[in-house]
Amino acid sequence: GIVVLCVGRVGATAAGPFISWVGPAQVAPGQTAMVSGSGFSPGCTVALTPSGNETIVVPPASVTAEGVMVTVPSSFQLDVYTVQVRCPSAHLQKAQGKRVTSGGVMSNKVMVNAPRLWWAQGNCGNESTGGGTLRLFGAALALAPASSFSRVIGSRPDSISNASFTVLQRLQKTAEEALRHGNYDKAADLARQLATLTAAPNHHHPNSRSQGGQRDRPAARMTRVRLTPVGGGDPTVLIADPATLTEHHASVALPPTLAPGEYFVAASNGLGDGPIWVALEYFESPERPLVRTVMVRPGLPSGPPDPRAFRNADAVCRAVPPTVVSMADFGPTGPMPISQRRVDATAGLTRALEAAAANGGGTVFFPRGQYWVSGSFSIPDNVYLKGEGETLVSLYWQEANTSRFTEQLFTGATPAHPNGTVTWGLSDLTIYVTAYYKTLLADGPVSCNNVAPPWGCTSSAVGFAMRRVRIRANAYFASGGPCSTGERPRPGVHFNFSQSQVQGLVTLTGKNWAVTDCDLLGTGEIFWSGGSGGGYGGTAWGLLGRNTVRNGGNSLAMDQWKQVIVEDNVITGISLAAMGNNIATYNGGYAQHVAVLNNSISHVWGDDREVLTYDNAGGAYFGPLSGVTEAHVTTASDRIPLNRSGTTNSGTGGGWV
């Protein structure tokens, strides 16, 4: 499936009430929550316990066998609430593992308004460095926007004066108007102000008082992240960056002096008596089914002293070897007439890559100029390509290509050892392609070990980096369209309006990669994973940020992507075949933990015109679990298949099943 949430009880007939989920993650006083689970019945009530205070029994708005609707009393202040369901005990006195009281049988406890941590991602992907960053994704990491808290300031708390309450009401009204008119920056800023002004005191119960008999004044809440060394020692508590803090995302800067090692991670959103810390726990893969920690590596220096070298800051937490090989020493540059295009830089680039590899890696530097190349290039491990500037260096892939299935212009080289890896990158240059292509750049080779993909496929790529690169790739340049042989005939190359033959401009299969600040234009798809790699199908632990993308087909074909951040990109379709974006499992496997943040996506004209969707090709399951181990979850029955072909429903008419 796309995202599998395995939360529930083992055994379909287990007795007693059981809570599997409470939503939404943030529930303000006066708002209604859905308590989902099993074993509920008429007569059940809900016990709500604000942190550090006594339990209050609340009658539910409605009850079914699998759900209870309950409204938080408006007399409450915003707090972390512990939720339990108490049901009549006449037929449940012998229920094992349940606390039987005179009032009935109590369910398990679930907290709301406390953080829910989905996964953590560092500046190295699945790791961080001292001086780097750690980002948490989840729910209730901070207060929701102002429009979600209308009930909180619907009636004036005793601790707020009439004048202050009037200011809060005006502030919220202004924030909601800004949101309606699309002024999102202003709305977000006003929401942060409102969140600070309406923050509850440390003790939130209506009857709590501070010393001197006065009610506690509202205090600003801060989202904090706590790192505790696995081997023991004092924890490090860090405050989340308020500029990027949202309900679903928190980022902290790690001190450069933070000792390398493995740390348990926990977070608090400032609510609760204590505050309340919630530990990180998430599923990464069958090889790592339960992750509670993050690894912190030593920080890196700014980079090799030679300014021509690829910077350490641009590599994904890798120390770039100091060797610099200049293309000025290996081949012609500068403008060339068409008649001389065969006297190009292809052989020189091949020799430069070999020279860098012979020194254990390094940078192949392109001084300003034009470089004509043909064929494909395998980039050796630990070798990086860097130009003098994105607007100063141009690589032209010659039009001699006449094949419909030419592979990559650049790809990571196949490692010498079966379990080896390849790390490479490119920055600060422009690539022009006016030949038919299948894929321009691939982070690394994928090996399927003679097993049908994706389950037997793994990628060798680790740490691919692409920074400040401009690509202009037109697979049908001067072809004359679908009914003409064009100015430059190419045998076997045919215009395909759906552009299905032109695959990803950039193929991402490995892990711990970054593509940022690039300007990309392509005939077909832009980013895709090919349905394999990443250790268990699909790419993993990536950052796709601040790119300008012009797509002729798909822009984001996120098949089986895992732990990937897609943020601050501007994506624009440039053809009538320009499609949308999807998180999918077309090739089997699973996708999870994809954060799509602050992107602009427009001109989605082609196919089914989906700006962003989920395509689950393997069916779905909702129901009880028959078994749970640390690495596996077994469902009580098979999944529901999803048939994506057209069918006729029973009765009259047709439809999709």
Side-chain angles (χ1 to χ4, degrees):
I2 300 298
V3 178
V4 180
L5 297 177
C6 297
V7 181
R9 74 162 18 137
V10 178
T13 60
F18 181 86
I19 300 175
S20 59
W21 177 80
V22 179
Q26 292 193 45
V27 184
Q31 293 183 336
T32 299
M34 174 67 184
V35 181
S36 179
S38 60
F40 307 136
S41 62
C44 291
T45 57
V46 178
L48 293 179
T49 307
S51 62
N53 293 285
E54 67 269 19
T55 298
I56 297 177
V57 177
V58 180
S62 63
V63 179
T64 68
E66 296 179 342
V68 176
M69 302 290 288
V70 61
T71 301
V72 177
S74 57
S75 60
F76 278 29
Q77 293 197 37
L78 185 63
D79 196 357
V80 173
Y81 312 125
T82 298
V83 181
Q84 281 185 287
V85 176
R86 175 186 294 163
C87 292
S89 58
H91 62 290
L92 298 174
Q93 290 289 347
K94 296 182 180 180
Q96 294 183 351
K98 301 297 176 184
R99 181 166 58 88
V100 180
T101 69
S102 59
V105 177
M106 301 294 290
S107 72
N108 56 312
K109 296 179 180 180
V110 175
M111 288 192 300
V112 295
N113 293 338
R116 299 178 182 178
L117 303 182
W118 297 336
W119 89 97
Q121 191 151 335
N123 56 300
C124 304
N126 62 355
E127 298 179 334
S128 295
T129 61
T133 58
L134 179 66
R135 304 175 67 174
L136 300 182
F137 296 90
L141 293 175
L143 291 177
S147 58
S148 299
F149 281 86
S150 58
R151 293 294 186 93
V152 176
I153 64 172
S155 59
R156 182 179 66 82
D158 293 342
S159 57
I160 299 178
S161 67
N162 286 324
S164 297
F165 183 62
T166 301
V167 171
L168 292 177
Q169 288 181 314
R170 290 175 179 172
L171 186 62
Q172 176 165 298
K173 183 178 180 180
T174 304
E176 291 174 341
E177 289 177 352
L179 196 62
R180 283 195 299 270
H181 289 86
N183 192 341
Y184 301 114
D185 291 338
K186 180 179 180 181
D189 181 62
L190 292 169
R192 282 191 288 269
Q193 295 180 43
L194 186 66
T196 300
L197 293 172
T198 59
N202 290 331
H203 302 283
H204 306 289
H205 194 269
N207 294 325
S208 65
R209 294 183 180 271
S210 61
Q211 293 182 357
Q214 300 296 319
R215 294 188 184 275
D216 292 329
R217 294 178 178 273
R221 300 188 193 93
M222 292 183 291
T223 297
R224 298 174 175 88
V225 176
R226 186 181 67 192
L227 303 178
T228 305
V230 170
D234 295 333
T236 299
V237 178
L238 306 169
I239 298 174
D241 179 6
T244 59
L245 181 63
T246 70
E247 181 183 0
H248 299 292
H249 170 249
S251 176
V252 293
L254 302 184
T257 56
L258 185 65
E262 189 175 9
Y263 290 83
F264 291 112
V265 181
S268 168
N269 60 13
L271 285 177
D273 187 20
I276 293 176
W277 293 98
V278 177
L280 175 71
E281 292 186 344
Y282 69 96
F283 172 89
E284 179 186 335
S285 67
E287 292 77 21
R288 298 188 71 203
L290 181 60
V291 177
R292 296 189 176 101
T293 62
V294 64
M295 183 65 70
V296 177
R297 298 167 49 183
L300 294 173
S302 59
D306 192 330
R308 301 173 301 168
F310 199 91
R311 301 187 307 169
N312 281 345
D314 287 334
V316 182
C317 299
R318 297 291 193 277
V320 177
T323 298
V324 176
V325 176
S326 177
M327 281 293 295
D329 301 326
F330 287 91
T333 63
M336 298 181 187
I338 293 178
S339 61
Q340 296 182 15
R341 284 182 184 174
R342 294 186 180 277
V343 182
D344 56 30
T346 301
L349 177 55
T350 300
R351 293 196 302 271
L353 293 171
E354 293 171 348
N359 283 281
T363 302
V364 174
F365 177 72
F366 293 80
R368 65 181 63 193
Q370 296 176 327
Y371 300 83
W372 297 84
V373 296
S374 60
S376 299
F377 297 88
S378 293
I379 311 301
D381 182 38
N382 232 13
V383 172
Y384 297 83
L385 311 179
K386 183 178 184 295
E388 188 173 343
E390 178 184 330
T391 61
L392 301 177
V393 175
S394 299
L395 275 67
Y396 293 88
W397 199 18
Q398 297 191 66
E399 295 177 20
N401 169 34
T402 60
S403 170
R404 297 180 63 183
F405 301 109
T406 294
E407 295 294 338
Q408 298 86 3
L409 172 60
F410 293 129
T411 186
T414 300
H417 304 287
N419 296 321
T421 62
V422 58
T423 299
W424 70 286
L426 67 165
S427 72
D428 303 292
L429 50 80
T430 294
I431 299 174
Y432 291 99
V433 179
T434 56
Y436 201 93
Y437 66 90
K438 184 177 180 181
T439 299
L440 279 193
L441 305 176
D443 56 358
V446 174
S447 173
C448 291
N449 300 320
N450 298 318
V451 179
W455 306 110
C457 297
T458 56
S459 174
S460 302
V462 176
F464 172 72
M466 180 171 164
R467 317 278 194 176
R468 300 175 301 279
V469 172
R470 179 169 58 186
I471 297 178
R472 296 292 182 264
N474 184 351
Y476 304 117
F477 179 76
S479 66
C483 301
S484 170
T485 57
E487 302 172 20
R488 299 175 176 88
R490 302 184 181 97
V493 177
H494 304 288
F495 185 88
N496 184 324
F497 186 76
S498 69
Q499 304 178 87
S500 58
Q501 298 294 332
V502 183
Q503 296 179 353
L505 193 73
V506 181
T507 300
L508 300 165
T509 61
K511 66 179 182 179
N512 297 343
W513 53 266
V515 178
T516 63
D517 303 298
C518 295
D519 182 354
L520 310 175
L521 180 151
T523 299
E525 294 179 337
I526 305 300
F527 298 105
W528 82 317
S529 59
S532 59
Y536 204 67
T539 190
W541 299 108
L543 171 63
L544 200 65
R546 303 182 304 276
N547 300 290
T548 299
V549 177
R550 298 173 181 87
N551 53 296
N554 272 70
S555 178
L556 302 168
M558 298 178 282
D559 193 60
Q560 305 178 77
W561 285 25
K562 306 169 185 66
Q563 293 83 242
V564 176
I565 303 169
V566 181
E567 63 181 354
D568 301 318
N569 300 285
V570 178
I571 300 172
T572 307
I574 57 169
S575 80
L576 293 179
M579 296 178 282
N581 312 280
N582 60 355
I583 302 170
T585 57
Y586 289 133
N587 293 280
Y590 63 97
Q592 67 178 18
H593 300 156
V594 179
V596 183
L597 311 171
N598 305 317
N599 299 280
S600 172
I601 303 172
S602 62
H603 296 181
V604 182
W605 308 119
D607 204 23
D608 42 17
R609 302 191 66 188
E610 295 171 334
V611 173
L612 179 64
T613 188
Y614 305 99
D615 286 343
N616 175 12
Y621 179 81
F622 180 81
L625 307 176
S626 62
V628 176
T629 68
E630 190 170 284
H632 296 87
V633 172
T634 305
T635 60
S637 60
D638 198 4
R639 62 191 176 187
I640 302 170
L642 302 179
N643 182 2
R644 302 184 71 246
S645 60
T647 63
T648 300
N649 296 324
S650 59
T652 60
W656 295 90
V657 177

